[in-house]
Amino acid sequence: MHEDSGITTQITVVGAGMVAHRFVESLLSRDGGDMRVTVFGEEKRHPYDRVGLTAFFDGTSPERLELDRSVFDDPRVELFTGERVQRIDRKERTVHTASRRHRYDRLVLATGSYAARVAVDGARLPGCFVYRTIDDLIALRDFVASRRAQLGRPLRGVVIGGGLLGLEAAGALQSQEVACTIVQSSDRLMSAQLDLPAGRMLQRLIEDRGLTVRTEARTTRLDADRTGNVAALEFHDGSMHPADVVVFTVGVRPRDELAREAGLRCTPTGGVVVDERCDTSDADILAIGEVAAFEGRTVGLVAPGYAMAEVAATRLLGGDATFPGFDESAKLKLSGIDVASFGDHRGDTPGVLDVVYADPVAGVYKKLVLSDDAKTLLGGVLVGDASAYGALRPLVGAALGGDPAAYLMPEGGAAAPAAELPDAAVVCSCANVTAGRIREAVHEEGCADANAVKACTRAGATCGSCVLMVKKIVGTELTALGQSVPRDCASTSRCPDDSSSTRCVCRG
Ligand SMILES: Cc1cc2nc3c(=O)[nH]c(=O)nc-3n(C[C@H](O)[C@H](O)[C@H](O)COP(=O)(O)OP(=O)(O)OC[C@H]3O[C@@H](n4cnc5c(N)ncnc54)[C@H](O)[C@@H]3O)c2cc1C
């Protein structure tokens, strides 16, 4: 803030996505003092839960996906939706939209990413979609309904890209009764997270679910039928595959165009260069979220963006904070299929040891990556049973405190001892909530269940993958206090309603 009290600092945010919302929320929660915050969002909506977007296909309305609107009720905050910032004038310290010129003292870029398409002929034919915004999903749903009515038969869909998002999109198409094929250019699904055996195991689970998978298939062209709609894909080997609807999930690209035009430093591959304080090459401009490139990289996950939002808010309020680096832990959100990866899951650290448990009959593959002395957990991959994810992810970098194999056995989550988590272990990476903070919420703020902890700390409020662990910690602490433990899935390692991530009581 301005050292000179009495002068209002104008903080301007470009982009009104999840990370911008968290940034504003964080500023306000700490009583931002004498400031004015203006947020420009290109989408014609209030910020919404992009992570939970697929719930739209389960009937969740766009309104229900909205993030807490009360943030914008604060008289110090102003949100302009449907208004794209077209230019930054760094000399004048102004941003420009089609209808407005707006001054800033400090500018925060939170412009996120756009969804990429494969650069081939036909990629923009009617019937080809990306999967990024509520409007993308509305357009996809409407197309499927009208094309089915037009053709008078079930539709054949293709998702190009077999990563986390591709699998989620394939599940969404399937929920719309579209027979879906996932096309992956590499030799396995989720190749960024999984090694070959894990990828093969996942493919079996996906095929058991009624989805078709084609690996090592590179799309070279999309063809239209006589109506002009997409009708088929051609692969690099010349083979053709029919498709009435196509969804591209081949990665995201940082929206750094404003920053580039304004002369801010960007990486050659995309992303506004920031340091650990989220500062860009202009001292008045910060960048956070998916658009921000830290140590040369951008990451398409919300937790690092939230961590950056907290750093930026702290800094703009005169405090000091640094971004610790990317936590790339991820969990698949496809009902009935458990997949998670955390820490150094690829085993990039020199001298690592892998401990593997595989049960092909049960469709389970689990791997822990350990330090060369087999004591410290560095990362892991869980396919087919990710119940231990919530317990293991916070232990990355810490001693496992037991036989690593115990964590991999069936129902391994039960062996993961909540009480052993050090206070500093981050249980909820989305909201950066540690085990110590959860214990404090139980002991000092009277939280007696996971919902109360969520309300107090935000743990479990975003992706929900930590909720089981939160419940375990709450249960352990309540037991220690001699209080009764609520009867829910806290006592089991596996959620009893695990059939659907969106209906899961554990995940709220
Ligand atoms: C279906 C789906 C599922 C996902 N699941 C997960 C998950 O399980 N876990 C996870 O960690 N992440 C997940 N993600 C990724 C996660 O949603 C993103 O990491 C997160 O939304 C990034 O937030 P952001 O605010 O940086 O960017 P965005 O959410 O992209 O928001 C940026 C906003 O800025 C706007 N904007 C851009 N340029 C301008 C401009 N010039 N003027 C005004 N406005 C502008 C954009 O329109 C956009 O609304 C998922 C994403 C999708 C699409």
Side-chain angles (χ1 to χ4, degrees):
M1 303 297 301
H2 264 280
E3 292 100 46
D4 189 358
S5 64
I7 298 179
T8 302
T9 304
Q10 172 63 50
I11 298 171
T12 300
V13 184
V14 187
M18 295 182 77
V19 170
H21 183 272
R22 169 58 61 87
F23 168 73
V24 178
E25 202 175 42
S26 180
L27 274 181
L28 297 178
S29 72
R30 299 185 230 180
D31 182 23
D34 218 1
M35 65 173 179
R36 244 194 112 63
V37 186
T38 308
V39 182
F40 290 98
E42 173 192 61
E43 291 184 70
K44 292 190 182 103
R45 300 177 184 280
H46 271 248
Y48 57 87
D49 178 6
R50 206 178 294 289
V51 169
L53 202 56
T54 294
F56 172 78
F57 285 112
D58 295 338
T60 302
S61 67
E63 292 69 35
R64 279 205 60 201
L65 284 170
E66 275 180 10
L67 299 172
D68 180 13
R69 261 185 184 241
S70 68
V71 167
F72 302 103
D73 294 340
D74 189 292
R76 292 167 296 176
V77 183
E78 197 173 22
L79 168 68
F80 295 104
T81 56
E83 203 157 332
R84 185 169 69 84
V85 170
Q86 297 173 335
R87 188 168 70 82
I88 303 168
D89 186 331
R90 287 168 53 199
K91 218 160 128 220
E92 298 284 322
R93 293 209 287 186
T94 50
V95 295
H96 299 250
T97 73
S99 59
R100 226 178 292 270
R101 172 181 174 275
H102 177 87
R103 184 189 68 80
Y104 66 83
D105 295 312
R106 305 301 296 276
L107 183 65
V108 178
L109 296 177
T111 48
S113 303
Y114 69 88
R117 295 177 192 236
V118 178
V120 293
D121 282 350
R124 292 191 180 270
L125 284 170
C128 295
F129 296 86
V130 291
Y131 201 87
R132 178 76 189 176
T133 67
I134 288 184
D135 288 346
D136 293 335
L137 268 60
I138 291 174
L140 174 61
R141 180 200 58 188
D142 293 351
F143 178 85
V144 164
S146 73
R147 189 82 177 123
R148 184 186 292 128
Q150 207 175 33
L151 292 172
R153 59 163 173 77
L155 297 191
R156 298 161 300 196
V158 168
V159 171
I160 301 182
L164 278 166
L165 187 62
L167 301 185
E168 201 176 317
L173 277 183
Q174 205 180 26
S175 76
Q176 302 302 288
E177 290 165 16
V178 174
C180 189
T181 300
I182 300 163
V183 170
Q184 170 75 327
S185 56
S186 74
D187 58 359
R188 78 203 88 142
L189 295 171
M190 284 182 63
S191 51
Q193 287 85 17
L194 303 185
D195 57 21
L196 195 54
R200 296 244 163 94
M201 191 72 80
L202 173 60
Q203 182 167 340
R204 271 191 43 206
L205 298 175
I206 292 283
E207 286 168 346
D208 287 349
R209 203 181 182 278
L211 293 158
T212 307
V213 178
R214 273 188 80 153
T215 53
E216 297 185 86
R218 285 193 307 283
T219 309
T220 44
R221 196 182 78 219
L222 287 94
D223 283 350
D225 65 8
R226 275 178 298 136
T227 64
N229 289 296
V230 70
L233 281 73
E234 181 203 64
F235 296 122
H236 66 290
D237 60 5
S239 63
M240 302 296 290
H241 186 95
D244 305 309
V245 57
V246 172
V247 179
F248 290 99
T249 54
V250 290
V252 293
R253 306 278 179 271
R255 292 199 51 183
D256 60 9
E257 63 273 11
L258 272 182
R260 265 178 209 282
E261 279 159 23
L264 292 178
R265 242 182 97 209
C266 294
T267 70
T269 48
V272 184
V273 172
V274 296
D275 61 17
E276 72 282 1
R277 288 149 58 90
C278 295
D279 279 336
T280 67
S281 52
D282 180 327
D284 294 326
I285 305 179
L286 294 84
I288 57 177
E290 280 191 6
V291 76
F294 178 70
E295 293 180 342
R297 284 195 320 133
T298 55
V299 165
L301 294 168
V302 76
Y306 278 176
M308 289 177 178
E310 298 291 343
V311 169
T314 306
R315 297 246 356 268
L316 292 185
L317 292 173
D320 204 13
T322 53
F323 177 62
F326 293 115
D327 174 358
E328 292 182 65
S329 305
K331 195 160 185 289
L332 175 65
K333 303 192 301 303
L334 182 61
S335 75
I337 299 189
D338 258 8
V339 184
S341 65
F342 52 94
D344 180 11
H345 52 82
R346 279 189 300 265
D348 292 337
T349 313
V352 295
L353 300 174
D354 291 349
V355 180
V356 176
Y357 170 86
D359 179 348
V361 179
V364 172
Y365 175 93
K366 304 182 195 181
K367 181 175 82 176
L368 294 187
V369 179
L370 303 172
S371 58
D372 52 6
D373 59 2
K375 290 199 174 127
T376 307
L377 178 66
L378 300 178
V381 168
L382 305 167
V383 178
D385 171 15
S387 54
Y389 175 68
L392 288 169
R393 196 196 45 71
L395 285 173
V396 169
L400 262 185
D403 178 2
Y407 289 83
L408 299 183
M409 292 299 125
E411 296 300 309
E420 282 181 19
L421 276 188
D423 276 350
V426 176
V427 173
C428 174
S429 59
C430 296
N432 195 27
V433 181
T434 60
R437 175 70 189 97
I438 295 168
R439 292 181 182 122
E440 183 185 277
V442 175
H443 289 273
E444 286 165 34
E445 289 154 68
C447 295
D449 59 31
N451 275 336
V453 170
K454 185 180 357 178
C456 265
T457 66
R458 294 202 195 112
T462 306
C463 79
S465 63
C466 65
V467 174
L468 270 180
M469 195 63 209
V470 173
K471 284 173 185 260
K472 280 189 184 178
I473 296 175
V474 172
T476 306
E477 298 309 307
L478 290 175
T479 306
L481 288 170
Q483 294 180 17
S484 61
V485 178
R487 267 180 63 81
D488 54 16
C489 56
S491 58
T492 67
S493 62
R494 178 172 271 279
C495 168
D497 189 16
D498 214 10
S499 55
S500 159
S501 62
T502 49
R503 284 187 295 108
C504 172
V505 289
C506 301
R507 294 167 190 172

